[in-house]
Structure formats: structure tokens, C-alpha cells
Amino acid sequence: MCHYRFFVLFTVLALKSVECMFVYYQNYEFFSTIKLNDYNGYYGNVKILKYSMPNDVLSAIWRLQLVSSESCPSTDVYFYLEHSAYPVISPHNRTFPYYFNQGRLTKTMVKKSLGGSNPNKQDVYLNISSPSAGNWFSAAFTDSQDRKIKPEILKSNCTYFLTSSLNIWQINDTVVLYPNTTTQSREHSDFKIYKFMSTTTGPYLSFNIKLKQSNSSVCTVKSLLKQSAFPDMKNFKNNDDHVICQSNSSKQCSLSTDYPLANSWYYLGITSECNYSVEVALSNNCVESPFFISNKTLSTIMESTFPGLLKQKKDEFCRKLFQPIETFRFIGPTYFSVKYYFNSNHNRSNALLIRNEKKPYFIEFLVDQANNGGTLNFYLVNNLINDPNLYESDFLVNKASIFPSEKNPKNSTHSSKSKTSNLAEIKVMLYACLLFNSMSKYKNCPDGFLLSTQSFTNIFSNFQLNVAYPFMGKWYLAVWKECFNINTNESVTCPTDFVPHALIQISSDQCANDYCGEYGTCYIINSQLNLVSACKCSGGYEGYGCTDGRNAIPARIYLASVLFLTTSNLVFLLPICLAIYRKWYIESLIYFYNMFFSTFYHACDQEFYSFCIFNYDGLQLADFISSYSSFIITVLAMSSFERQWKVFTFFVGLLACISIGLYDRFSYSTFVVFLCIAISFTIFTWIKICISKRKLYPERRQLIRYYLPGFILALTGLLIYSFLQTKSNYWILHSIWHMCMASSIVFFLPKEETQHFGTDLSGENLKVALILDHITTTTATSSSLSDSSETSNSPPTSKSLIHANVTEISLLEA
């Protein structure tokens, strides 16, 4: 950071070798760390920050600290900067709608790469010389080229952060100039900055520089004029508002600007080898009369009868003539919806007669936070009509004044034909220049948006212009006419009997003229307390108004994707029918539930050709829960638990799946944990049976013929789902995933329910077992007793033996 301070100081000292300027440095604004999002073609993912720039700033330095987490792939980080407006960006060079001006694209930009082979932490400095005072807006985001669709468990946890601060070098010894007052320079002055506050809107503002040569050597003065910011002396020759004067020249040394704005600072930078003085002159050298009389004879009679009447109050009239046409605005009920109307003394109308050929008509309107986040729309309809001299004002109200021929159609037809013949060789052109915070240089419109259209009698011509995210401040629309010879294309005097009639409409709306086309939806975004509207495109369309279709997906592909994603779920009919045939009724119900909601979820989850049986969020939740449940119940069906234990564990898993879906349905890691628990239960029962029977379970034949193909199908589906899906092939690979998982269930589902583990030996079953055991024991005892009866005097009878057995069973029951 220190070398940047020394660099700016060296620049300042180089500009002033003798007179010391009071320049001081300060950390002006600091923003805490924010997390950056991937742009992905949507302005809503952009983080917008607002900075405040004070007056009299020589240089502004934005310090950007970019940080990424460890082991992240290489990713580009963008930082756009714009004065008084939200940045208009197009990092992928996408086109704008037809009527949008592409010169509005933000050019001040920093691009850095983080991660991969690049450092994970970088400090970037952006230096702006002579910045304009007011608000500055930045747009920051990342642009990753990885378009693969991965589950959360496999996604790299890469995050990118931005910390920004604004540091300024400010001058506090600028000399304030006053009108009609001469300001002397100090002795041995080499470089100095002067400023003048224009308090009124006039036709002309001039700065006269008078040199004071103290010796015989020739003295050179370089001066540069700029509005609202310090002049950049380093780029002296690249600026049009500059002049180089010699002391031995008789030519007046002055800098001037047309149509200075009220309440605006004008800065004058002077580099001189000798002393000089500066004088500010406000000119009102107008020659137009305050009364418009087209008839020269009548004008002569009026001047001879009332001497001086046509020339009285000339200065006051000039100020009024160059005062812009004020507008009032109507703010609509939605965000950024504003309409502007002319506000004259006679009426409120958007119709204007372009009578004056020498001077333009300026229309003034304001853009602020009410509509800076939308689109400024400008629309003009023009035709050539008879000049209604009965009206003193240039504004027109009703249709009769616009089309006066309708009052007397018989007379007007003849008049129109005779006057149209005068226009046979004349081409009347109407020009309009849309300027921000300026009324000068409207002719070539180098800093604005130039529009032109030819005027025809009884034929309407129109043109349209849209400006995305307009600058905040005063806007001026300069409208004027010029006439040319049709054959030679030379400039000629315009006819006075026919004038262009312009119907001007100025408004603002959300997004692209409140319309994102059939491939986009307009959203209002709140980014760091900055409201902005943006189009979210679909169908592969991109751009500010979703009109760039270079990557658009054809309609036939979309129709095929809908059919693939929905009909692929019909493969679940195989496990459903098999489960019913093998009497796995609960399992068949879950598989049907999964097929039903997966089909209608994918039918609803489409940008086009969508069909929703109820809201999207409910369908998505049902699809996730049914998918999780199908995994759990299939794994538990493969185990050797008794049926009642299987049902119990399944409902535990089902409740867990519902809880996962309600908490975070995309939390695949939590689901994998529950699935591993279910698999561990199944494997545990298999191991228990293997130990008790001392042989392989399941049998080798079952493992090879059923479980191995099912495992291969399930693994293939999981690999496709986890690593191969992208946005372009999602509809194909996800359909294959459906078919793989449904087919694997056919192989995994057992033929019959096994109860080798956890067999019930209590209650009635235990009684029967004990009776059979005692009967067997009694038979053996009877045969042994009959063999020894010869030696015994009191052999037991069968009645007593049966009684003893019943007594023993009774004791066991007790």
C-alpha cells in the first residue's frame, strides 16, 4: 500500500514544482467482508456496494482483498465500478434487446483469478484519477466454468470473499472563482486548480485567462476545464475542453462551455510558467425576440409603431429561452415505475412543436432511487404538420391543434398541397440527444445517445431508446431540427409554415421495459440494501432481456426432456408388480408412491411444458421422501429380521426421511448416514445366520445371480448421479438414474420372507414344544420302566406319568 501512496504523492509533486498544494490522504470508507456468489448469467447473484465520493478529490484508490478457501479450483473474480449508476455488465459478451444502447456497458473493471495454481489471497488496487463527486457503485461476483451438477456431499466447499475499502487523496486549497470578478495568481505559480459554482442555467460560460509576462521570454499556459471533477492533466491532449496559449499571441486565451448547469461545480486546471489572472464571464448574447412573429411586414409595423417593444427585457428572455423544459413525474405502484410529463404554464402534455431551427429544446427530468434500478425508456413519434400560429406556446394539447386541417377540411386540402410542393426538395430531419448531467455538445452527442428520424407530412415516424440502470441525477433531452436538400444533401433553411410535431414519452420500468420476453422472469433484488431489477432467463437464453439465444435449447429438446424424465419412472412398475406377486405389500406401496411423485415432480420442474398437480415445493418434498424411503425399505427387506421388526425399523427410517426432508432435503450426507445404518442392520443379520448355521448366507447362487447385478445397476446409477450430470445432459442421465435404481430393486427384492434370525419361541409355540418334548421323554421312560418291572415291586402307571407331565407344564406356565 505504501508504494501506491508514494506514487500518488510523486504525481502530485510533479504537477507542482514551486507552489505547494495541500493534499492529504485518508481512509474514507471500509466495507466488511462479504461472500461472493457465482454469476451464472443472473444479475441477482451479483453483490452491489455503494461508496460515497466527496468533492475536490485528486485520486481515489479502491483496495480489494480477495480470499478463497483452501483447495479450490481456479475461479475468476470480477469487480465492476461505475459512477452514479449500477454497473451494466456482460462478462460473456451477451447481446442486449434491440433498442438498448450498448454504450452504457461499464468499462472500469478488475478481473483476478483465485485458487488452483493462483494464490488464495490477493490484494488488488484500483486507482481512479479525478473521480466525480457523488455515489459510486460496484458489482462483484465470481465466474466459475464448472457447470456439473453434484450432490452436496460431493461438492467442494469453496467460498470466495471480498473486503473493500475506499482511500482518497483530497485537495483543500482550490481557489473559488466568482462571476465578473478577476482572480490573480500567486507569484511563481506552476499548477493550480480553480472552481466555480454555476448558480443559474445560461447559454454560455467563459473563463478568460490573461497572462502577465515579466520578461522578454515567451510564456506558455495550458488550461483544462471539466465539470463536477478535477481535470486530469496527465491526459491533457485527450480532452476536448483544453487550450494552450502563448504570451506573445494576440488571440484571446479562454475556455468556455455551452449551456452550463445550475448548482454544478466547474473545475479549471492551469499549468503556467508565468503569472496570470482568471476572469469568469456569464454571457447572455442572445438575439432572439421575446415575441415570435413570422411575418416580416408585421414585424416592421410593430417596431415602427412601438419602438423597442420587440427588444425589451432581452437578457431576461434569453435566460428563459435556455431554461430547460421542466417535467413532473408520476411514480407508479410498482418498483421503478415512473412516467414523466411536460410541466408548462399552459398545460401538461408530451407534445412539442419544433419551431426554432437555431437552438435546441432541452427537456429536463430527474432519475434517483425511485427508478435507478430499472430501465429508462424513451419513445418519440414525429410527423410534419401545418404550424398553428394561433398558439403562443410550443406545447400542444388537443387533437385540433395537432391536426388543424380537420377544422376546415376544404380549405386545408388546397393549402396542404400548395405548401407540400415547397417541401418537395427539402428533407426535414428531427434529432434528439439524450445527455446525463450536461447540455453541451449536443450536436454530435459524443457523451450521450443520438437519435434521428425524418419528418413527413401526414406520415408518422418513430424511434425508441432504452437505457439500462440509468445514472442518478439530472438528464437532458435535446431536440432540434435540421433541413437538407434531398438532391445535394446540403443544409438549407427550414420552411416556416411546416414544423415537426414530436410526441415524446419518457418513462422507466422494471427490467427490460417491464418485460423479460417469453424466456425470462423479472425479479426485484436487494443486494446490500441496493434495490435493482433483473431478468432471470430460462431455456438457455441469456442477456439483460433474455434475448440472446446463441445457447438456447430447441423446443424439441425441451419436450424430449419432459418425456424422458417422466416416462423413465414407469420402470418402477416392475418392482411394484414383483413386490405384489411376492406379497411385499408395504414395499409395493412405497414404490408406487415413489413413481407417482417423481413423475409429477419432474413434470412440474420444467421451464416449459410444465404441469403441476399442486405446488412445486410440496411435490419436491414428496419426491425426496419417497426416494429416500425406497432405499431404506429395500435394504431392510433384504435382511433376516422377523416381519414385525422389519416394519418397526422401516417406520423409524421413514420418520427419519421425513425429518431430513423438512430440515434440508438436499442434505445427502444425513441420508447416507441413515442408509449406512440400515445396511449395517442387514449385514448384521446375515453374519449372525452365517455363524449359527456355519455356512455362507445369502447363498452363493443368490449373491451371483441376483445381488451382484443389482449392485452393479445401483452403483452405475449412483456414479451417474454424483459425477456425470451437467446442465446440458441432465435430462438424459437423470432418466438413466431412474431406470437403474428401479431395475436394481427387481434384483434386490427377496423371493420370500426369511425369519432365520429372531424366531419367536415364547407363548403357545413354547407350550407345543414342551408338550412334544415331554411326550418323547415319556415314551422313552415307559420303555425303560417296562424293562425293569421284573425287579420292582411298585411300577408306576401311565396315569401317574401323564399327571406328572401335566404338573410340570403347569409349573412352567406359572
Side-chain angles (χ1 to χ4, degrees):
M1 184 64 187
C2 294
H3 62 281
Y4 281 91
R5 299 184 185 181
F6 288 127
F7 171 76
V8 177
L9 278 176
F10 177 78
T11 304
V12 174
L13 293 175
L15 291 174
K16 56 179 193 63
S17 59
V18 179
E19 183 181 15
C20 182
M21 298 176 63
F22 293 96
V23 183
Y24 63 93
Y25 172 85
Q26 62 172 323
N27 297 317
Y28 195 71
E29 281 187 344
F30 178 84
F31 279 89
S32 59
T33 303
I34 59 174
K35 180 182 176 182
L36 300 180
N37 301 323
D38 189 59
Y39 176 60
N40 202 19
Y42 177 44
Y43 202 86
N45 296 328
V46 172
K47 290 297 180 69
I48 300 175
L49 299 175
K50 182 174 72 172
Y51 307 87
S52 298
M53 187 72 64
N55 289 315
D56 301 346
V57 176
L58 182 64
S59 178
I61 302 173
W62 275 266
R63 183 186 181 187
L64 312 176
Q65 294 177 305
L66 306 175
V67 180
S68 67
S69 53
E70 297 293 334
S71 302
C72 286
S74 179
T75 302
D76 295 330
V77 179
Y78 289 82
F79 183 86
Y80 287 84
L81 194 62
E82 188 72 82
H83 173 249
S84 294
Y86 296 133
V88 178
I89 62 176
S90 182
H92 303 149
N93 296 321
R94 298 299 180 247
T95 59
F96 282 73
Y98 181 73
Y99 292 108
F100 274 71
N101 188 281
Q102 305 213 10
R104 174 64 184 84
L105 283 172
T106 301
K107 300 176 179 61
T108 305
M109 183 265 290
V110 171
K111 177 183 177 182
K112 287 292 179 181
S113 296
L114 290 180
S117 59
N118 306 294
N120 293 332
K121 183 177 181 180
Q122 297 186 38
D123 284 357
V124 183
Y125 297 90
L126 178 60
N127 186 12
I128 304 294
S129 299
S130 305
S132 299
N135 294 324
W136 285 72
F137 295 90
S138 68
F141 57 91
T142 61
D143 188 24
S144 175
Q145 300 303 319
D146 186 10
R147 294 293 179 257
K148 288 187 177 181
I149 303 175
K150 297 179 181 179
E152 290 292 330
I153 191 174
L154 298 176
K155 287 184 179 179
S156 57
N157 190 20
C158 286
T159 51
Y160 302 88
F161 300 96
L162 168 67
T163 305
S164 62
S165 61
L166 171 61
N167 311 308
I168 61 173
W169 294 90
Q170 197 169 14
I171 300 177
N172 63 351
D173 68 337
T174 54
V175 179
V176 180
L177 300 176
Y178 298 95
N180 303 321
T181 303
T182 301
T183 303
Q184 303 290 338
S185 67
R186 299 179 182 178
E187 295 294 330
H188 308 293
S189 175
D190 184 58
F191 174 73
K192 194 66 179 176
I193 295 180
Y194 301 85
K195 63 180 180 179
F196 173 75
M197 171 62 77
S198 176
T199 56
T200 58
T201 301
Y204 194 78
L205 174 63
S206 176
F207 295 88
N208 301 320
I209 304 172
K210 298 180 180 179
L211 302 178
K212 296 180 179 180
Q213 188 175 359
S214 58
N215 49 41
S216 59
S217 61
V218 178
C219 179
T220 303
V221 172
K222 297 180 181 180
S223 58
L224 183 65
L225 181 64
K226 190 174 182 181
Q227 178 188 349
S228 303
F230 282 154
D232 190 1
M233 302 301 291
K234 293 183 294 183
N235 300 321
F236 181 80
K237 294 183 179 180
N238 296 332
N239 199 303
D240 294 334
D241 296 330
H242 75 278
V243 66
I244 300 178
C245 303
Q246 302 288 339
S247 59
N248 58 355
S249 175
S250 60
K251 185 179 179 181
Q252 185 179 8
C253 186
S254 64
L255 270 176
S256 61
T257 181
D258 296 332
Y259 310 109
L261 300 183
N263 303 318
S264 181
W265 284 105
Y266 288 84
Y267 292 88
L268 179 66
I270 299 178
T271 301
S272 175
E273 300 170 355
C274 58
N275 295 334
Y276 57 87
S277 62
V278 181
E279 182 182 4
V280 181
L282 293 174
S283 301
N284 286 310
N285 51 350
C286 305
V287 295
E288 288 84 356
S289 170
F291 301 100
F292 179 78
I293 301 178
S294 59
N295 192 303
K296 294 183 179 180
T297 305
L298 182 59
S299 176
T300 305
I301 295 175
M302 288 290 295
E303 181 65 26
S304 60
T305 307
F306 304 99
L309 177 63
L310 300 181
K311 299 296 181 181
Q312 66 181 357
K313 297 182 180 180
K314 182 178 68 175
D315 291 346
E316 289 78 358
F317 169 72
C318 288
R319 294 191 184 95
K320 182 179 180 181
L321 176 67
F322 294 106
Q323 198 69 252
I325 299 173
E326 295 181 353
T327 60
F328 75 97
R329 59 181 183 173
F330 172 77
I331 300 178
T334 59
Y335 285 105
F336 313 126
S337 177
V338 177
K339 291 185 178 180
Y340 297 89
Y341 299 94
F342 298 165
N343 191 6
S344 69
N345 295 328
H346 299 276
N347 56 77
R348 292 179 177 179
S349 171
N350 280 12
L352 184 64
L353 287 176
I354 312 300
R355 287 195 180 99
N356 200 325
E357 182 181 357
K358 298 180 180 179
K359 299 297 180 182
Y361 293 80
F362 286 105
I363 302 169
E364 178 187 271
F365 59 96
L366 175 68
V367 173
D368 56 11
Q369 293 181 353
N371 55 343
N372 69 319
T375 298
L376 185 63
N377 310 309
F378 172 74
Y379 188 75
L380 187 146
V381 178
N382 170 45
N383 74 320
L384 205 61
I385 67 169
N386 252 336
D387 187 3
N389 290 322
L390 296 176
Y391 291 86
E392 297 179 1
S393 174
D394 291 338
F395 299 95
L396 297 178
V397 190
N398 50 40
K399 186 176 180 181
S401 62
I402 298 176
F403 301 103
S405 59
E406 295 182 5
K407 294 182 179 180
N408 192 352
K410 295 183 180 180
N411 298 333
S412 62
T413 303
H414 174 74
S415 175
S416 177
K417 288 182 179 180
S418 62
K419 293 183 179 180
T420 305
S421 62
N422 298 332
L423 296 173
E425 298 182 354
I426 296 179
K427 178 175 61 176
V428 182
M429 296 296 297
L430 185 65
Y431 295 94
C433 178
L434 192 60
L435 295 164
F436 169 70
N437 202 28
S438 173
M439 290 194 298
S440 62
K441 300 179 183 178
Y442 66 89
K443 281 286 185 181
N444 298 324
C445 204
D447 302 323
F449 312 107
L450 181 63
L451 302 170
S452 64
T453 181
Q454 184 174 351
S455 300
F456 300 93
T457 56
N458 302 324
I459 298 177
F460 289 93
S461 59
N462 61 80
F463 54 81
Q464 180 179 350
L465 177 68
N466 302 98
V467 181
Y469 305 143
F471 297 99
M472 288 197 300
K474 289 290 184 67
W475 284 76
Y476 297 90
L477 178 65
V479 183
W480 73 98
K481 67 177 179 179
E482 294 182 15
C483 298
F484 302 91
N485 187 290
I486 295 180
N487 300 321
T488 63
N489 205 28
E490 295 179 353
S491 179
V492 296
T493 304
C494 292
T496 58
D497 47 2
F498 274 84
V499 294
H501 166 255
L503 182 63
I504 301 171
Q505 180 179 338
I506 305 173
S507 63
S508 65
D509 260 317
Q510 303 173 10
C511 297
N513 196 12
D514 199 19
Y515 180 67
C516 294
E518 58 179 319
Y519 303 108
T521 306
C522 185
Y523 289 93
I524 304 297
I525 302 117
N526 185 349
S527 178
Q528 311 298 119
L529 301 180
N530 298 292
L531 285 179
V532 63
S533 63
C535 291
K536 190 172 185 179
C537 305
S538 58
Y541 283 83
E542 299 173 289
Y544 181 80
C546 302
T547 55
D548 193 315
R550 69 184 72 180
N551 297 323
I553 301 174
R556 64 180 184 275
I557 300 298
Y558 258 104
L559 183 59
S561 67
V562 176
L563 294 176
F564 267 67
L565 290 170
T566 53
T567 56
S568 61
N569 287 285
L570 296 178
V571 182
F572 274 95
L573 290 174
L574 294 175
I576 291 172
C577 295
L578 184 63
I580 295 174
Y581 176 76
R582 294 178 179 177
K583 300 182 180 180
W584 298 93
Y585 300 116
I586 296 179
E587 286 76 1
S588 64
L589 178 62
I590 296 300
Y591 299 149
F592 176 80
Y593 183 84
N594 189 5
M595 180 188 70
F596 180 85
F597 282 103
S598 179
T599 300
F600 284 99
Y601 164 66
H602 285 290
C604 184
D605 186 29
Q606 300 294 326
E607 295 173 342
F608 308 104
Y609 307 107
S610 62
F611 175 75
C612 302
I613 57 175
F614 52 88
N615 67 39
Y616 174 83
D617 189 69
L619 285 172
Q620 187 185 66
L621 179 62
D623 174 61
F624 276 66
I625 292 176
S626 62
S627 299
Y628 294 159
S629 303
S630 296
F631 279 103
I632 297 295
I633 197 169
T634 302
V635 171
L636 293 177
M638 297 165 59
S639 67
S640 295
F641 279 115
E642 192 184 353
R643 184 62 178 167
Q644 61 184 11
W645 288 103
K646 287 183 180 180
V647 174
F648 173 75
T649 53
F650 166 68
F651 275 103
V652 171
L654 178 62
L655 294 174
C657 291
I658 295 175
S659 302
I660 295 171
L662 293 175
Y663 174 70
D664 183 7
R665 66 196 65 173
F666 300 101
S667 179
Y668 298 102
S669 57
T670 310
F671 166 69
V672 168
V673 170
F674 279 101
L675 182 60
C676 290
I677 293 174
I679 293 174
S680 63
F681 271 115
T682 301
I683 295 176
F684 172 73
T685 60
W686 291 352
I687 295 174
K688 187 71 173 178
I689 293 173
C690 289
I691 294 174
S692 62
K693 289 189 174 184
R694 298 184 181 274
K695 64 178 182 179
L696 180 64
Y697 184 85
E699 298 177 355
R700 186 185 302 274
R701 177 173 171 272
Q702 186 177 2
L703 288 174
I704 295 175
R705 296 184 62 177
Y706 297 103
Y707 288 174
L708 181 60
F711 176 77
I712 293 174
L713 286 171
L715 182 62
T716 302
L718 288 173
L719 291 177
I720 290 174
Y721 182 80
S722 302
F723 300 104
L724 301 180
Q725 287 187 153
T726 62
K727 291 186 177 180
S728 58
N729 64 17
Y730 170 80
W731 61 281
I732 298 177
L733 295 186
H734 198 77
S735 300
I736 296 175
W737 145 266
H738 286 166
M739 293 185 285
C740 287
M741 302 314 295
S743 301
S744 66
I745 295 175
V746 175
F747 291 94
F748 284 139
L749 201 63
K751 289 186 176 180
E752 58 184 6
E753 189 170 353
T754 57
Q755 297 183 5
H756 300 286
F757 180 76
T759 303
D760 188 7
L761 297 178
S762 62
E764 297 297 329
N765 293 334
L766 181 59
K767 293 178 182 180
V768 173
L770 288 174
I771 291 173
L772 292 176
D773 182 62
H774 278 285
I775 291 173
T776 304
T777 305
T778 302
T779 305
T781 305
S782 300
S783 60
S784 62
L785 289 176
S786 62
D787 294 336
S788 60
S789 60
E790 297 177 356
T791 57
S792 177
N793 296 325
S794 57
T797 62
S798 59
K799 184 177 179 179
S800 62
L801 288 174
I802 294 173
H803 177 74
N805 290 335
V806 173
T807 304
E808 187 174 353
I809 292 173
S810 300
L811 291 174
L812 288 172
E813 289 180 349

